[in-house]
Amino acid sequence: MNIVFMGTPAFAVPALESLLREGYNVVGVVTQPDRPQGRKKVLTPTPVKEAALKHGLPVLQPQRMRAPEAVEELAALQPDLIVTAAYGQILPKAVLDLPQYGCLNIHGSLLPKYRGGAPIQRSIINGEKETGITLMYMAEGLDTGDMIAKSVVPIEDEDTSGSIFEKLSVAGAKLLLEQLPLIIAGTAERIPQNDEASTYASNLSREDERIDWNATSREIFNRVRGLVPFAGGFTMWNDEVFKVWAVANPSENPSSAGSGQVPGTVLNLSERGIEVKTGDGSVLLTRVQPAGKKAMEATEFIRGGVMKKGTVLS
């Protein structure tokens, strides 16, 4: 059986590696084109491309998977099954119809909740207590295909998007290997999604990264850890962006905030961090990044003495 794997970020690599380790015949890999990264804009391959090249696999990197020439190139690999994981492009019907065993997707949520491009980040931002992996058949709609199986993963207070990405990538690879023999034998479940129960996790925007100090302490805590390690949260200080990379768990750090302070007010600067007034108390910022500086522990920033008690972040 010829399998084509389609994926892009590190999230997808364990699934590809698992297929190869178990001896499945992966005949090619499709991933996003190399992109410039860093201050020097160095053209950088995707993690999936790096893994594929390590194993000597052919790699396709079409700008648009919908382009006829891209479909032809994929068809030349004669796939019997296509496995996708965070590929980053919607597959056209011409691709979905290619393999006789269909196109599978490893999706990072418990469908039908959190369809779309940022299910992991938004699950954390929304304060969900659990998330998971859904292995599904792909359809023309976005994440609307029939489900095969799910794997539930708890979201702990210590988790960030980074740690949940790692947990789900491992869970996805495991679920794929468990279900693949059933899929090939034609005995895997095929469970239609309840569209009425679906929710959509849109890609994150710059505005999603901005901290609303009128929100509750728990909501701010969830937002920042949902944005770490990829973007982090931000607020404005002295008309410049002031990034926030970590907030202490409000459940473990009782608020000392009194009444009469507006949300965003810096209440205390101490060895514990920067205490800021929120909509229902306060939070402690423990890792921050002033404009033009590297990220640092809040205590290191405080020692510089440039931020004063009573400052209002906006």
Side-chain angles (χ1 to χ4, degrees):
M1 168 179 285
N2 291 343
I3 296 178
V4 168
F5 187 87
M6 304 177 75
T8 295
F11 172 81
V13 172
L16 172 60
E17 296 279 8
S18 295
L19 288 172
L20 295 169
R21 188 171 58 249
E22 294 300 314
Y24 286 100
N25 184 35
V26 179
V27 296
V29 168
V30 184
T31 188
Q32 295 279 30
D34 296 359
R35 307 285 191 206
Q37 289 189 2
R39 291 185 176 180
K40 295 184 178 179
K41 304 296 182 186
V42 176
L43 209 56
T44 305
T46 70
V48 165
K49 180 181 179 180
E50 290 182 334
L53 294 179
K54 184 178 71 177
H55 292 282
L57 296 171
V59 176
L60 308 181
Q61 295 180 277
Q63 289 286 348
R64 293 177 62 251
M65 197 60 245
R66 290 182 176 278
E69 57 271 24
V71 177
E72 286 179 16
E73 203 172 12
L74 177 61
L77 295 173
Q78 300 182 312
D80 298 306
L81 177 72
I82 292 176
V83 177
T84 74
Y87 169 52
Q89 293 190 40
I90 296 175
L91 303 189
K93 189 172 187 304
V95 170
L96 298 177
D97 290 343
L98 271 179
Q100 62 172 312
Y101 290 93
C103 296
L104 309 180
N105 183 37
I106 301 170
H107 183 75
S109 82
L110 299 173
L111 291 171
K113 291 183 69 175
Y114 295 103
R115 293 172 176 172
I120 295 173
Q121 297 95 321
R122 293 206 181 274
S123 294
I124 297 173
I125 289 171
N126 291 345
E128 300 284 0
K129 297 298 182 186
E130 65 179 23
T131 182
I133 286 291
T134 303
L135 183 65
M136 57 179 290
Y137 287 103
M138 298 184 74
E140 286 189 78
L142 181 61
D143 301 324
T144 57
D146 292 346
M147 301 178 292
I148 301 166
K150 297 181 184 180
S151 177
V152 176
V153 173
I155 300 176
E156 310 289 352
D157 275 354
E158 295 75 22
D159 280 316
T160 64
S161 280
S163 65
I164 291 296
F165 263 91
E166 289 182 13
K167 292 178 182 180
L168 293 189
S169 66
V170 173
K174 182 172 182 286
L175 190 63
L176 175 65
L177 291 185
E178 288 173 355
Q179 294 296 318
L180 211 42
L182 303 178
I183 293 165
I184 294 169
T187 58
E189 288 201 75
R190 193 159 191 146
I191 308 163
Q193 294 188 41
N194 178 3
D195 290 338
E196 293 182 357
S198 68
T199 60
Y200 181 62
S202 61
N203 289 328
L204 296 172
S205 68
R206 181 65 169 160
E207 201 53 35
D208 287 313
E209 298 168 11
R210 186 163 194 153
I211 296 172
D212 176 6
W213 297 109
N214 290 292
T216 67
S217 300
R218 170 59 63 167
E219 288 169 342
I220 292 169
F221 171 67
N222 288 339
R223 179 166 297 278
V224 171
R225 66 197 184 102
L227 294 166
V228 169
F230 307 108
F234 80 90
T235 186
M236 299 302 292
W237 173 51
N238 290 343
D239 295 326
E240 292 187 317
V241 169
F242 186 76
K243 300 206 74 167
V244 178
W245 289 102
V247 172
N249 186 341
S251 301
E252 299 172 357
N253 291 276
S255 170
S256 64
S259 59
Q261 306 281 6
V262 299
T265 301
V266 174
L267 301 173
N268 284 301
L269 298 152
S270 69
E271 291 184 352
R272 298 169 63 218
I274 304 168
E275 185 177 11
V276 183
K277 179 80 172 69
T278 65
D280 68 342
S282 67
V283 290
L284 272 176
L285 315 186
T286 56
R287 188 167 178 80
V288 298
Q289 183 176 8
K293 304 287 186 182
K294 293 182 177 179
M296 63 185 80
E297 299 304 311
T299 49
E300 179 184 350
F301 170 74
I302 290 168
R303 281 197 293 271
V306 290
M307 182 177 278
K308 305 299 181 187
K309 184 177 175 178
T311 297
V312 178
L313 307 175
S314 59

